[in-house]
Amino acid sequence: MSKLDDWMMIMITLKDVAQLAGYSVSTVSRALNGSSRIDNETRTVILEAAKKLNYQANLNAKSLRTKSTRLIGIISEGSTNYMFSQYIQYISDYCTSLGYGLLVANHNNDPMIEERLFNNYYQRGIDGMILSLVSEESRIFRSILDSTIPIVLVDRYLVFEHHFHDTCHASIVLNNMGAGRMAADCLMDLGHRYLACITGPMSVGLSRERTNGFVSRIYERGGHIDNKHLVEGNFSFESGYAAAMQILGYSERLPTAIWAENDMMAIGVIKALAERSISVPDDISVIGMDDVGFSRMITPPLTTISQPYKDMATTAVDVIASGGTGGGGKQKRFVFDGALVMRDSVTECRDK
């Protein structure tokens, strides 16, 4: 065999075999390692692709999959997601205390980048992954289900998580319906009846749940929310500002309170109201979601709903450290409740 042939053999990866065979990297890995979960037809296609490419398994990588690498990978939205940055801090601290290393990467809401990162992590033979996915449009559904290492979905969990019962995977989620009800109760307890909501992207399940909880509670308690006061955002400051301007642009009665489904959008709302000389909270109350660090630093300090980041982060790591058993149990879905944090951006309604 020539030196060029030797070089080509080294450069061929599982991803190359996966692309030729038309299967995910994790499915290819299982087939080449003799997993009984792969049917004969699929295995034959994958073996033929590996043979055609002259693929040789990397023995070092294989040993990493049979022995813990003490590495955990995180894939999330990116550095602009201040909520997830708090997760990462707690995850990092807890990993350090347990002797794990941490790999962190951002998919920037791009499904193709997310897929490449997932495959890259998987080939490194890490012990598990913590994922905050792009949306239900993610390209790695099948790869997650086929993965032989624990995967923990946080924040943006998926409708297919009910398939996790026979896997080593789990989801760590907030009670988002409960958060929506909590926001509605906070405002309606203060006498507000004409409300508005700036949602997160409706392609994301947590946004739909928060909105459903908020709107259903309003009507349960005899309040009202005009369809024009239900505006979709994307969790950014800019989208909160634009949505507030859209609401203020209507000639009909303005709401007396606005819930933005994360703090960044709520701060955008406060800026838009200030530019229109609308006082917060005297004219319109504003409530956010997540309790990120700077929510207490703005003027007025933002009333919001906090998430138990530390508990959620340590649970995610525990699932992976236990090999996907959730610390010895069989639980696959861990649900945490938020908590209302009252500050100065809400007050009693003066327009009753």
Side-chain angles (χ1 to χ4, degrees), residues 102-204:
L102 192 64
L103 303 174
V104 180
N106 304 327
H107 56 57
N108 297 318
N109 285 319
D110 186 325
M112 294 183 67
I113 294 176
E114 178 182 64
E115 183 179 36
R116 288 199 297 269
L117 290 171
F118 183 93
N119 290 338
N120 178 275
Y121 276 2
Y122 197 84
Q123 291 182 67
R124 287 172 179 248
I126 62 178
D127 285 7
M129 283 186 247
I130 299 171
L131 308 179
S132 175
L133 299 180
V134 169
S135 70
E136 278 84 348
E137 299 173 2
S138 173
R139 298 160 60 106
I140 59 174
F141 294 171
R142 178 48 55 186
S143 294
I144 290 173
L145 291 178
D146 287 346
S147 172
T148 56
I149 62 172
I151 305 294
V152 180
L153 302 182
V154 298
D155 181 31
R156 299 183 179 188
Y157 59 94
L158 299 170
V159 294
F160 80 143
E161 64 179 353
H162 64 276
H163 293 294
F164 285 0
H165 63 88
D166 60 351
T167 72
C168 55
H169 312 324
S171 59
I172 310 290
V173 300
L174 187 76
N175 179 357
N176 288 294
M177 286 279 288
R181 290 192 292 266
M182 191 178 296
D185 282 337
C186 169
L187 297 173
M188 299 194 77
D189 286 349
L190 293 170
H192 295 279
R193 293 295 180 270
Y194 294 90
L195 308 178
C197 178
I198 300 173
T199 77
M202 298 307 282
S203 62
V204 177

Side-chain angles (χ1 to χ4, degrees), residues 24-165:
S24 69
V25 170
S26 53
T27 298
V28 169
S29 177
R30 284 187 171 188
L32 295 179
N33 284 286
S35 171
S36 60
R37 295 179 61 182
I38 304 299
D39 60 68
N40 290 333
E41 182 179 352
T42 299
R43 192 188 313 279
T44 298
V45 172
I46 291 172
L47 290 175
E48 287 178 354
K51 183 178 180 180
K52 183 174 182 180
L53 292 173
N54 201 22
Y55 171 78
Q56 298 291 323
N58 185 321
L59 295 179
N60 289 330
K62 187 173 182 179
S63 68
L64 288 176
R65 285 189 170 82
T66 57
K67 292 176 62 177
S68 173
T69 61
R70 309 298 290 178
L71 277 176
I72 292 175
I74 296 177
I75 302 175
S76 68
E77 179 181 351
S79 58
T80 58
N81 187 329
Y82 295 95
M83 181 276 295
F84 206 81
S85 69
Q86 297 190 69
Y87 269 126
I88 293 174
Q89 183 60 57
Y90 285 118
I91 290 170
S92 177
D93 291 345
Y94 193 48
C95 281
T96 298
S97 72
L98 296 179
Y100 281 87
L102 192 64
L103 303 174
V104 180
N106 304 327
H107 56 57
N108 297 318
N109 285 319
D110 186 325
M112 294 183 67
I113 294 176
E114 178 182 64
E115 183 179 36
R116 288 199 297 269
L117 290 171
F118 183 93
N119 290 338
N120 178 275
Y121 276 2
Y122 197 84
Q123 291 182 67
R124 287 172 179 248
I126 62 178
D127 285 7
M129 283 186 247
I130 299 171
L131 308 179
S132 175
L133 299 180
V134 169
S135 70
E136 278 84 348
E137 299 173 2
S138 173
R139 298 160 60 106
I140 59 174
F141 294 171
R142 178 48 55 186
S143 294
I144 290 173
L145 291 178
D146 287 346
S147 172
T148 56
I149 62 172
I151 305 294
V152 180
L153 302 182
V154 298
D155 181 31
R156 299 183 179 188
Y157 59 94
L158 299 170
V159 294
F160 80 143
E161 64 179 353
H162 64 276
H163 293 294
F164 285 0
H165 63 88

